[in-house]
Amino acid sequence: MNAIERSSQITERLVAIYPDRRPLLVFESPYQLVIAVILSAQTTDAQVNVVTPGLFARFPTPGALAGAPQREIEKIVHSTGFYRTKARNIIAAAKAIHERFGDGVPELMEDLTSIPGVGRKSANVVRGVVYGLPSIVVDTHLSRVTNRLGLVSESNPAKIEQLLRKVVPEDVQTDFSMGINLHGRYCCSARKPDCQGCVLRDLCPFDPT
Ligand code: SF4
Protein backbone atom coordinates (compact mmCIF):
# COMPACT_ATOMS: atom_id res chain seq x y z
CA MET A 1 0.00 0.00 0.00
CA ASN A 2 1.52 3.36 -0.97
CA ALA A 3 1.30 6.54 1.12
CA ILE A 4 -1.69 7.91 -0.81
CA GLU A 5 -3.64 4.67 -0.31
CA ARG A 6 -2.70 4.60 3.37
CA SER A 7 -3.77 8.19 3.96
CA SER A 8 -7.08 7.47 2.20
CA GLN A 9 -7.66 4.41 4.41
CA ILE A 10 -6.74 6.42 7.49
CA THR A 11 -9.18 9.17 6.51
CA GLU A 12 -12.01 6.68 5.88
CA ARG A 13 -11.58 5.10 9.28
CA LEU A 14 -11.28 8.42 11.12
CA VAL A 15 -14.36 9.82 9.39
CA ALA A 16 -16.25 6.70 10.53
CA ILE A 17 -15.29 7.01 14.20
CA TYR A 18 -15.43 10.82 14.37
CA PRO A 19 -18.59 11.72 12.44
CA ASP A 20 -18.71 15.18 14.01
CA ARG A 21 -15.47 16.85 13.01
CA ARG A 22 -16.53 20.45 13.54
CA PRO A 23 -14.05 22.62 15.45
CA LEU A 24 -14.48 22.60 19.21
CA LEU A 25 -14.25 26.39 19.23
CA VAL A 26 -17.63 28.09 19.53
CA PHE A 27 -18.26 30.89 17.01
CA GLU A 28 -21.14 32.45 15.11
CA SER A 29 -19.36 34.16 12.21
CA PRO A 30 -16.08 34.00 10.28
CA TYR A 31 -14.89 37.08 12.20
CA GLN A 32 -15.54 35.34 15.51
CA LEU A 33 -13.72 32.23 14.28
CA VAL A 34 -10.62 34.26 13.41
CA ILE A 35 -10.57 35.86 16.85
CA ALA A 36 -11.21 32.54 18.62
CA VAL A 37 -8.42 30.84 16.66
CA ILE A 38 -5.95 33.58 17.61
CA LEU A 39 -6.94 33.17 21.26
CA SER A 40 -6.53 29.39 21.07
CA ALA A 41 -2.73 29.55 20.82
CA GLN A 42 -1.11 27.73 23.75
CA THR A 43 -4.41 27.00 25.47
CA THR A 44 -7.43 24.72 25.13
CA ASP A 45 -10.45 25.39 22.95
CA ALA A 46 -12.59 24.93 26.07
CA GLN A 47 -10.76 27.80 27.76
CA VAL A 48 -11.28 30.02 24.72
CA ASN A 49 -14.98 29.15 24.76
CA VAL A 50 -15.17 30.48 28.32
CA VAL A 51 -14.06 33.99 27.34
CA THR A 52 -15.41 34.52 23.81
CA PRO A 53 -19.14 34.86 24.64
CA GLY A 54 -18.40 37.86 26.88
CA LEU A 55 -15.88 39.27 24.42
CA PHE A 56 -18.28 39.13 21.45
CA ALA A 57 -21.22 40.39 23.50
CA ARG A 58 -19.18 43.46 24.44
CA PHE A 59 -17.52 43.89 21.00
CA PRO A 60 -19.87 42.31 18.44
CA THR A 61 -18.23 43.64 15.27
CA PRO A 62 -14.67 43.96 13.95
CA GLY A 63 -15.07 47.76 14.07
CA ALA A 64 -16.07 47.65 17.73
CA LEU A 65 -13.17 45.40 18.71
CA ALA A 66 -10.75 47.47 16.62
CA GLY A 67 -11.48 50.48 18.84
CA ALA A 68 -11.44 48.59 22.14
CA PRO A 69 -9.11 49.67 24.96
CA GLN A 70 -6.18 47.25 25.22
CA ARG A 71 -6.47 47.03 29.03
CA GLU A 72 -10.10 45.99 28.88
CA ILE A 73 -9.35 43.25 26.34
CA GLU A 74 -6.42 42.04 28.41
CA LYS A 75 -8.76 41.53 31.36
CA ILE A 76 -11.31 39.64 29.27
CA VAL A 77 -8.77 37.27 27.65
CA HIS A 78 -6.49 36.96 30.68
CA SER A 79 -7.37 33.32 31.42
CA THR A 80 -6.28 32.19 27.92
CA GLY A 81 -2.64 33.03 28.71
CA PHE A 82 -0.22 35.34 26.87
CA TYR A 83 -2.98 37.87 27.40
CA ARG A 84 -1.03 41.00 26.47
CA THR A 85 0.08 39.64 23.11
CA LYS A 86 -3.32 38.11 22.42
CA ALA A 87 -5.15 41.32 23.31
CA ARG A 88 -2.85 43.29 21.03
CA ASN A 89 -3.25 40.74 18.23
CA ILE A 90 -7.03 40.47 18.32
CA ILE A 91 -7.43 44.26 18.34
CA ALA A 92 -5.04 44.52 15.38
CA ALA A 93 -6.75 41.60 13.60
CA ALA A 94 -10.16 43.21 14.05
CA LYS A 95 -8.72 46.47 12.70
CA ALA A 96 -7.33 44.68 9.63
CA ILE A 97 -10.61 42.85 8.99
CA HIS A 98 -12.54 46.11 9.41
CA GLU A 99 -10.30 48.44 7.44
CA ARG A 100 -8.70 46.24 4.79
CA PHE A 101 -11.36 43.60 4.19
CA GLY A 102 -14.58 45.55 4.77
CA ASP A 103 -15.55 43.47 7.83
CA GLY A 104 -15.26 40.26 5.81
CA VAL A 105 -12.76 37.46 6.35
CA PRO A 106 -10.61 36.89 3.26
CA GLU A 107 -10.20 33.51 1.59
CA LEU A 108 -6.68 33.73 0.15
CA MET A 109 -3.85 32.32 2.25
CA GLU A 110 -1.69 35.42 1.74
CA ASP A 111 -4.53 37.74 2.79
CA LEU A 112 -5.35 35.66 5.85
CA THR A 113 -1.74 35.43 6.97
CA SER A 114 -1.40 39.21 6.60
CA ILE A 115 -3.84 39.56 9.52
CA PRO A 116 -1.96 40.04 12.82
CA GLY A 117 -1.86 36.84 14.88
CA VAL A 118 -2.94 34.62 11.97
CA GLY A 119 -0.32 32.12 10.81
CA ARG A 120 -0.68 29.26 8.34
CA LYS A 121 -2.27 27.02 10.94
CA SER A 122 -5.01 29.51 11.77
CA ALA A 123 -5.47 30.42 8.12
CA ASN A 124 -5.96 26.75 7.26
CA VAL A 125 -8.62 26.43 9.96
CA VAL A 126 -10.50 29.40 8.49
CA ARG A 127 -10.12 28.23 4.88
CA GLY A 128 -11.35 24.75 5.73
CA VAL A 129 -14.21 25.69 8.04
CA VAL A 130 -15.48 28.89 6.42
CA TYR A 131 -14.74 28.25 2.75
CA GLY A 132 -14.64 24.46 2.55
CA LEU A 133 -11.20 24.59 0.95
CA PRO A 134 -8.73 21.69 1.35
CA SER A 135 -6.90 22.39 4.57
CA ILE A 136 -4.17 20.70 6.58
CA VAL A 137 -4.02 22.23 10.05
CA VAL A 138 -0.64 21.40 11.55
CA ASP A 139 -1.06 21.60 15.29
CA THR A 140 0.66 19.58 18.00
CA HIS A 141 -1.78 16.66 17.58
CA LEU A 142 -1.46 16.39 13.82
CA SER A 143 2.30 16.72 14.00
CA ARG A 144 2.61 13.91 16.56
CA VAL A 145 0.12 11.51 14.99
CA THR A 146 1.30 11.83 11.39
CA ASN A 147 4.90 11.27 12.51
CA ARG A 148 3.87 8.15 14.44
CA LEU A 149 1.91 6.93 11.45
CA GLY A 150 5.04 7.35 9.35
CA LEU A 151 3.31 9.67 6.89
CA VAL A 152 5.99 12.25 7.64
CA SER A 153 9.28 12.29 9.46
CA GLU A 154 9.48 15.97 10.18
CA SER A 155 8.93 18.51 12.96
CA ASN A 156 8.69 21.73 10.95
CA PRO A 157 4.97 22.60 10.60
CA ALA A 158 5.29 24.18 7.14
CA LYS A 159 7.17 21.14 5.84
CA ILE A 160 4.67 18.74 7.42
CA GLU A 161 1.86 20.57 5.64
CA GLN A 162 3.76 20.50 2.36
CA LEU A 163 4.52 16.77 2.64
CA LEU A 164 0.99 15.81 3.63
CA ARG A 165 -0.51 17.77 0.76
CA LYS A 166 1.39 15.40 -1.53
CA VAL A 167 0.13 12.17 0.04
CA VAL A 168 -3.39 13.08 1.15
CA PRO A 169 -5.85 13.43 -1.75
CA GLU A 170 -7.08 17.02 -1.99
CA ASP A 171 -10.76 16.18 -1.63
CA VAL A 172 -10.20 14.56 1.77
CA GLN A 173 -7.50 16.84 3.19
CA THR A 174 -9.86 18.69 5.53
CA ASP A 175 -11.48 15.46 6.76
CA PHE A 176 -8.04 13.91 7.22
CA SER A 177 -6.75 16.92 9.14
CA MET A 178 -9.76 17.22 11.44
CA GLY A 179 -9.92 13.45 11.97
CA ILE A 180 -6.24 13.25 12.88
CA ASN A 181 -6.64 16.18 15.25
CA LEU A 182 -9.48 14.41 17.09
CA HIS A 183 -7.56 11.13 17.09
CA GLY A 184 -4.61 12.89 18.71
CA ARG A 185 -6.89 14.26 21.40
CA TYR A 186 -8.86 11.11 22.15
CA CYS A 187 -6.67 8.11 21.27
CA CYS A 188 -3.13 8.88 20.15
CA SER A 189 -2.19 11.07 23.09
CA ALA A 190 1.34 12.35 23.59
CA ARG A 191 2.12 10.36 26.73
CA LYS A 192 -0.05 7.27 26.51
CA PRO A 193 -1.33 6.41 23.06
CA ASP A 194 -4.06 3.76 23.21
CA CYS A 195 -2.55 1.60 20.46
CA GLN A 196 -4.50 -1.49 21.56
CA GLY A 197 -7.80 0.26 21.01
CA CYS A 198 -6.73 2.23 17.92
CA VAL A 199 -8.54 1.74 14.61
CA LEU A 200 -5.31 2.60 12.79
CA ARG A 201 -3.20 -0.05 14.51
CA ASP A 202 -2.61 -2.16 11.39
CA LEU A 203 -1.65 0.96 9.42
CA CYS A 204 0.75 2.34 12.02
CA PRO A 205 4.43 1.44 12.42
CA PHE A 206 4.74 3.13 15.82
CA ASP A 207 5.92 0.86 18.63
CA PRO A 208 4.49 2.09 21.96
CA THR A 209 6.71 -0.16 24.11
S1 SF4 B 1 -1.53 2.81 16.65
FE1 SF4 B 1 -0.89 3.99 18.44
S2 SF4 B 1 0.66 5.42 17.69
FE2 SF4 B 1 -0.43 4.62 15.89
S3 SF4 B 1 -2.05 6.12 15.51
FE3 SF4 B 1 -2.92 4.54 16.81
S4 SF4 B 1 -2.66 5.28 18.92
FE4 SF4 B 1 -1.30 6.46 17.59
Side-chain angles (χ1 to χ4, degrees), residues 11 17 31 36 43 46 51 53 60 75 89 92 96 107 110 114 128 157-158 172-173 179 183 185 200:
T11 307
I17 60 167
Y31 151 66
T43 189
V51 306
K75 274 190 197 149
N89 277 340
E107 175 181 326
E110 53 266 43
S114 75
V172 299
Q173 282 177 1
H183 204 55
R185 288 172 194 267
L200 307 179

Side-chain angles (χ1 to χ4, degrees), residues 136 142 146 151-152 160-168:
I136 302 271
L142 184 132
T146 54
L151 290 171
V152 296
I160 291 174
E161 182 188 336
Q162 199 181 24
L163 290 167
L164 289 175
R165 286 204 186 268
K166 288 184 190 154
V167 296
V168 182

Side-chain angles (χ1 to χ4, degrees), residues 145 148-149 183 187-188 193-195 198 200-201 204 206:
V145 179
R148 284 176 175 171
L149 283 165
H183 204 55
C187 181
C188 189
D194 178 17
C195 297
C198 178
L200 307 179
R201 178 67 274 188
C204 182
F206 183 75

Side-chain angles (χ1 to χ4, degrees), residues 34 96 100-101 105-127 161:
V34 171
R100 288 200 278 126
F101 301 108
V105 170
E107 175 181 326
L108 291 177
M109 179 60 82
E110 53 266 43
D111 285 340
L112 279 165
T113 52
S114 75
I115 295 173
V118 177
R120 276 196 81 85
K121 183 180 88 168
S122 304
N124 267 309
V125 172
V126 173
R127 280 164 60 83
E161 182 188 336

Side-chain angles (χ1 to χ4, degrees), residues 20-196:
D20 185 357
R21 295 176 300 285
R22 285 172 300 178
L24 301 175
L25 290 171
V26 175
F27 62 96
E28 289 177 358
S29 68
Y31 151 66
Q32 290 190 1
L33 177 61
V34 171
I35 300 302
V37 168
I38 294 172
L39 291 175
S40 71
Q42 310 289 330
T43 189
T44 63
D45 291 349
Q47 188 56 50
V48 174
N49 292 341
V50 169
V51 306
T52 45
L55 176 69
F56 296 135
R58 176 89 176 87
F59 303 102
T61 63
L65 184 55
Q70 163 104 12
R71 290 293 293 274
E72 185 177 350
I73 301 299
E74 286 179 3
K75 274 190 197 149
I76 295 173
V77 305
H78 190 277
S79 63
T80 67
F82 302 96
Y83 63 95
R84 286 205 180 94
T85 304
K86 287 184 181 178
R88 196 167 48 241
N89 277 340
I90 64 172
I91 291 170
K95 196 164 185 279
I97 290 170
H98 181 56
E99 292 179 358
R100 288 200 278 126
F101 301 108
D103 284 350
V105 170
E107 175 181 326
L108 291 177
M109 179 60 82
E110 53 266 43
D111 285 340
L112 279 165
T113 52
S114 75
I115 295 173
V118 177
R120 276 196 81 85
K121 183 180 88 168
S122 304
N124 267 309
V125 172
V126 173
R127 280 164 60 83
V129 172
V130 175
Y131 295 109
L133 293 166
S135 64
I136 302 271
V137 179
V138 185
D139 61 6
T140 175
H141 300 297
L142 184 132
S143 173
R144 178 180 68 255
V145 179
T146 54
N147 270 281
R148 284 176 175 171
L149 283 165
L151 290 171
V152 296
S153 178
E154 180 59 63
S155 59
N156 178 293
K159 286 190 183 149
I160 291 174
E161 182 188 336
Q162 199 181 24
L163 290 167
L164 289 175
R165 286 204 186 268
K166 288 184 190 154
V167 296
V168 182
E170 201 172 86
D171 60 331
V172 299
Q173 282 177 1
T174 304
D175 282 338
F176 170 88
S177 176
M178 290 180 169
I180 289 280
N181 176 283
L182 291 168
H183 204 55
R185 288 172 194 267
Y186 300 126
C187 181
C188 189
S189 63
R191 291 204 180 158
K192 244 184 146 195
D194 178 17
C195 297
Q196 289 301 324

